Amino acid sequence: MTADTAKNNNTQEFKNVKYLLTSSMRTLILVVLYDNKKNLNEIRNELQKPSATILHGLKELEENNLIKKDRKYYELTSNGYLLATNVIKLIENWHSIEKNKLFWNNHDLSGIPENFLNKLYLLKDAQFISSTTSDLSNAFNKYVELISTSNELTIILPIYSENHFKYLIKQLKNNEITQLTILINTKILQTMKQSRYLKKSLIENENVRIIETEKNLKIFLTYSPDFMALTLFFKDNHYDDSQIIIATDKSAIKWSKELFKHYMESDNNERKE
């Protein structure tokens, strides 16, 4: 594909998106028909709009091969279904970003690959927690509270933090954690090995799996079967423990698992090369 062809394709795609999103009626009809085909009365009842307005939108979508009519029922074509799927993801992504915009705006996002940023809709139910001047440890305390509820933890650890080590070791000693996996940078791991206490209590613990990477990790991600927690770095490269995103729903946990898997696979690929 030449540069001109790609440019022309992108221009056409932009026109298609613009055509859809510049009309709330066209967008709403696609969303309403996403799960099931419906007749005009059902569409009107859901949208609470006049029949004439809805019929105009239906006609436009039908002319663009995004919906089709089967007797009295309207349904999405394959193209319409694909477009509706992406529109719904766009709306949910926007909601997820807007809901926690302070968190996303304040931090360096380079530790999250683009294809995972495109799936922030999976974090739409996540909760943003920030420390305050009256409680500087609010976010960290919430994190400690979360990890104390699970006996299985997976962590991408980008920093050397005695505070975090302390609570993890405490749970390991009390058998509250029976399976701990930590992905950690080589330099940080070497520093940890210089401490006899960390070496014995954490690194050599039979319930701990340490995975070493040469990557400069820019994301602090923790997940278990029951929750996920995310903290990031400021744009000036300093780690921020004052703001955290947490979630307990399956979609957010799935996002976390896939992100951890991405780091594991990309690191393996680099070593093979």
Side-chain angles (χ1 to χ4, degrees):
M1 181 184 293
T2 66
D4 287 340
T5 302
K7 182 178 179 181
N8 289 336
N9 286 344
N10 289 337
T11 300
Q12 185 58 49
E13 288 171 3
F14 175 77
K15 288 180 179 178
N16 291 339
V17 172
K18 183 179 179 182
Y19 161 78
L20 183 63
L21 296 183
T22 50
S23 166
S24 59
M25 179 53 61
R26 289 193 288 262
T27 304
L28 288 170
I29 290 173
L30 282 186
V31 173
V32 164
L33 294 178
Y34 185 69
D35 292 322
N36 293 297
K37 59 183 179 181
K38 294 180 175 66
N39 59 35
L40 180 59
N41 285 335
E42 291 171 325
I43 297 172
R44 186 177 61 235
N45 289 338
E46 287 201 39
L47 297 183
Q48 294 296 303
K49 299 289 184 180
S51 295
T53 304
I54 295 172
L55 284 169
H56 180 70
L58 288 168
K59 182 180 179 182
E60 289 182 328
L61 291 171
E62 194 170 4
E63 289 174 350
N64 282 275
N65 194 35
L66 295 175
I67 67 169
K68 59 184 179 181
K69 188 177 182 182
D70 181 15
R71 299 178 184 177
K72 293 183 179 181
Y73 287 87
Y74 295 90
E75 61 182 319
L76 299 178
T77 62
S78 295
N79 286 342
Y81 181 81
L82 290 173
L83 191 55
T85 299
N86 284 283
V87 166
I88 290 170
K89 287 181 180 178
L90 175 62
I91 293 170
E92 291 181 340
N93 260 340
W94 185 268
H95 169 73
S96 179
I97 294 168
E98 187 66 18
K99 179 183 176 184
N100 298 313
K101 61 183 177 182
L102 286 177
F103 180 81
W104 302 117
N105 282 338
N106 288 342
H107 296 106
D108 176 5
L109 304 181
S110 62
I112 306 176
E114 183 178 344
N115 57 320
F116 284 88
L117 289 174
N118 290 338
K119 297 177 181 177
L120 288 184
Y121 63 89
L122 294 174
L123 305 183
K124 64 182 184 297
D125 294 325
Q127 179 185 3
F128 169 59
I129 296 174
S130 179
S131 297
T132 63
T133 53
S134 60
D135 187 357
L136 297 176
S137 301
N138 186 40
F140 180 74
N141 289 339
K142 184 62 180 179
Y143 177 80
V144 172
E145 180 185 326
L146 276 173
I147 65 172
S148 67
T149 64
S150 182
N151 60 5
E152 180 182 333
L153 293 175
T154 302
I155 302 175
I156 297 178
L157 184 64
I159 58 171
Y160 182 98
S161 170
E162 293 186 357
N163 268 345
H164 288 84
F165 296 149
K166 178 177 71 174
Y167 285 101
L168 291 173
I169 291 170
K170 179 183 176 182
Q171 287 181 252
L172 285 165
K173 284 184 174 179
N174 294 336
N175 293 319
E176 294 169 357
I177 295 179
T178 57
Q179 184 177 333
L180 174 61
T181 302
I182 303 177
L183 176 65
I184 194 165
N185 174 269
T186 299
K187 291 181 180 179
I188 297 175
L189 182 57
Q190 289 173 347
T191 304
M192 291 173 62
K193 287 179 178 179
Q194 294 173 11
S195 165
R196 289 185 179 180
Y197 177 66
L198 291 180
K199 189 174 181 181
K200 180 180 180 181
S201 302
L202 194 60
I203 298 173
E204 296 178 350
N205 190 300
E206 63 180 8
N207 293 325
V208 179
R209 179 190 178 199
I210 300 288
I211 303 170
E212 184 179 351
T213 179
E214 294 182 359
K215 289 182 181 295
N216 180 24
L217 301 171
K218 298 298 290 292
I219 178 175
F220 194 142
L221 177 71
T222 304
Y223 72 85
S224 78
D226 304 309
F227 76 90
M228 63 79 66
L230 174 68
T231 50
L232 295 170
F233 287 73
F234 286 122
K235 295 175 183 178
D236 64 2
N237 209 35
H238 286 86
Y239 173 68
D240 176 26
D241 64 355
S242 67
Q243 297 182 339
I244 187 171
I245 288 281
I246 64 171
T248 57
D249 60 288
K250 292 181 179 179
S251 295
I253 296 170
K254 176 184 177 182
W255 183 88
S256 301
K257 286 183 178 179
E258 292 298 318
L259 182 51
F260 184 83
K261 182 180 177 182
H262 166 85
Y263 268 91
M264 292 289 292
E265 291 178 347
S266 62
D267 195 52
N268 287 336
N269 289 336
E270 285 179 8
R271 292 184 183 183
K272 287 177 183 178
E273 293 174 1

